[in-house]
Amino acid sequence: MAESKPILKALAGTRVSPPPIWLMRQAGRYLPEYRATRQKAGDFLTLCYTPELAAEVSLQPVRRFEFDATILFADILLVPHALGSELCFSEGQGPRLSTIASMNDVINLRPPGIVRESLAPVFETLRILSNENPGNAALIGFAGAPWTVATYMISGKGTTDHRRPLEFMRSEIMVFDALIDRLTEATVEYLSAQIEAGAEVVKLFDSWAGSLRGDDFDRYVIRPIRNIISRVSEKNPSVPIIAYARRAGKAYSRFANSTGAACVALDSSVDPEWAALRVQAHSCVQGNLDPKLLVSGGANLVEQARKIVATFSNGPHIFNLGEGITPDADPRHVQILVDTVRDPDWRSRRA
């Protein structure tokens, strides 16, 4: 059955037509069924740590839109939580964490192997999904990449300018390197355990990669991701890994050439024509529709989706958004997107 799944074919380097499709954050607040389940859970962390509910919200968008992948419902900050960081999610304010400020703070984190015990509910969610996932949909696990997770641990919350993590990276380099190393080790353990629990694909999200440039990008984005991919793949050579370095710009080319990822996920700022020449030559590509189009809909949504499909049609491509779907997206527009990707001329034939 695995050999017939469109996403696994694309990740193996095969051109698939039409391209398989799933959406980042496809389980979320734009769906009324998600909101109902979230209310039942009571709070976000409880939802993440209750396998039956987490599995339910993971499957909801796949049932509705027949996506080609089910992605585990969890959060990238579960890893620092497992390592001993205090974590809570405040409505309207996002995550709040205890902060890393010294070498002692890093030393006092729990050992990386603890993720296998502390995040046992996540692995149980994957086992449920492995049994209940629709036959044609691949099961995707994921983790945050070390740089992105470190920015939250140093700032104590999400920020847009990353001023504090960048200053800390330069003024406390030994502490920062120790934190990156600890997160790298924990991420290897976490993704390996996800694969053991049933994940057929795993993805690394470096959502804040774009705040690093030059040597800093190579040291704290490419190197840790390459290390994680190498070590996870050594034990699980048949499991492909997708890597996402949001806002990496032209650095996407060397990212694709250097990390060993089977697929590079592209954000919405990347020109598909450039990426077809400079990124798709190295790997499968994933992306990269602007999620705002799922709010506005209309002819522009259909036109842009068709353009992305056509531009990447000569190589392996997984259709996705360039960033996560937003809470104000219209589910009707999501259905139009799915129909367009699977049959670009469906509207003209219907007319």
Side-chain angles (χ1 to χ4, degrees), residues 71 75 108 111 113-114 128 144 160 179 184 246 301 325 332 345:
I71 185 166
D75 192 89
N108 288 333
I114 198 67
I128 294 171
T160 54
L179 177 59
T184 297
R246 181 173 172 266
L301 166 62
I325 192 169
R332 294 172 298 178
D345 297 323

Side-chain angles (χ1 to χ4, degrees), residues 8-322:
L8 298 183
K9 288 182 179 180
L11 290 169
T14 301
R15 175 186 173 273
V16 180
S17 182
I21 178 173
W22 70 280
L23 304 182
M24 289 192 286
R25 291 186 180 173
Q26 63 188 25
R29 287 177 289 170
Y30 75 104
L31 290 177
E33 54 266 47
Y34 169 87
R35 295 193 295 269
T37 309
R38 169 70 183 272
Q39 186 175 17
K40 182 178 179 181
D43 64 82
F44 182 74
L45 276 179
T46 299
L47 181 54
C48 290
Y49 285 136
T50 306
E52 295 77 11
L53 297 181
E56 169 61 22
V57 295
S58 300
L59 290 167
Q60 286 169 351
V62 185
R63 294 190 195 113
R64 182 187 273 247
F65 301 113
E66 297 184 346
F67 287 129
D68 292 299
T70 301
I71 185 166
L72 166 72
F73 183 84
D75 192 89
I76 64 170
L77 298 182
L78 298 188
V79 166
H81 196 213
L83 295 178
S85 294
E86 297 177 9
L87 174 65
C88 67
F89 285 82
S90 303
E91 195 67 35
Q93 296 184 341
R96 293 291 184 269
L97 297 87
S98 52
T99 56
I100 297 291
S102 68
M103 185 63 81
N104 278 340
D105 292 336
V106 177
I107 292 170
N108 288 333
L109 291 172
R110 302 168 78 188
I114 198 67
V115 299
R116 289 180 173 270
E117 175 186 342
S118 297
L119 299 182
V122 175
F123 311 134
E124 179 59 25
T125 300
L126 281 163
R127 283 187 282 271
I128 294 171
L129 291 172
S130 186
N131 288 325
E132 298 185 6
N133 202 32
N136 213 39
L139 179 55
I140 302 178
F142 74 93
W147 160 250
T148 288
V149 176
T151 65
Y152 285 93
M153 295 178 77
I154 293 167
S155 298
K157 60 182 180 179
T159 62
T160 54
D161 61 7
H162 306 120
R163 179 181 56 82
R164 184 172 177 180
L166 289 167
E167 290 175 352
F168 192 86
M169 179 186 74
R170 297 184 176 102
S171 64
E172 301 288 347
I173 188 167
M174 292 182 64
V175 180
F176 189 80
D177 282 354
L179 177 59
I180 292 292
D181 288 346
R182 182 67 64 93
L183 289 171
T184 297
E185 294 292 326
T187 305
V188 170
E189 291 286 341
Y190 186 42
L191 292 179
S192 298
Q194 289 187 27
I195 292 168
E196 291 166 17
E200 299 171 286
V201 181
V202 291
K203 181 174 178 179
L204 281 162
F205 286 85
D206 219 342
S207 303
W208 302 126
S211 58
L212 295 177
R213 292 288 183 270
D215 291 343
D216 291 335
F217 183 89
D218 291 349
R219 181 167 183 168
Y220 295 121
V221 174
I222 289 179
R223 188 168 70 176
I225 289 178
R226 181 173 60 225
N227 188 359
I228 292 166
I229 290 174
S230 175
R231 292 173 60 190
V232 173
S233 297
E234 184 178 2
K235 294 181 179 179
N236 308 278
S238 64
V239 176
I241 300 177
I242 304 170
Y244 177 56
R246 181 173 172 266
R247 301 287 166 172
K250 300 298 183 184
Y252 266 119
S253 180
R254 72 176 189 274
F255 180 83
N257 196 35
S258 302
T259 58
C263 180
V264 172
L266 306 167
D267 68 74
S268 301
S269 69
V270 178
D271 176 16
E273 292 184 358
W274 175 87
L277 292 173
R278 301 299 299 274
V279 182
Q280 200 177 30
H282 302 296
S283 69
C284 174
V285 292
Q286 179 180 282
N288 64 330
L289 188 77
D290 188 337
K292 293 177 183 175
L293 290 169
L294 293 178
V295 180
S296 58
N300 198 27
L301 166 62
V302 174
E303 179 184 346
Q304 292 304 313
R306 287 173 175 168
K307 178 181 177 182
I308 290 169
V309 170
T311 302
F312 290 127
S313 64
N314 291 323
H317 173 222
I318 298 168
F319 196 98
N320 207 309
L321 304 177

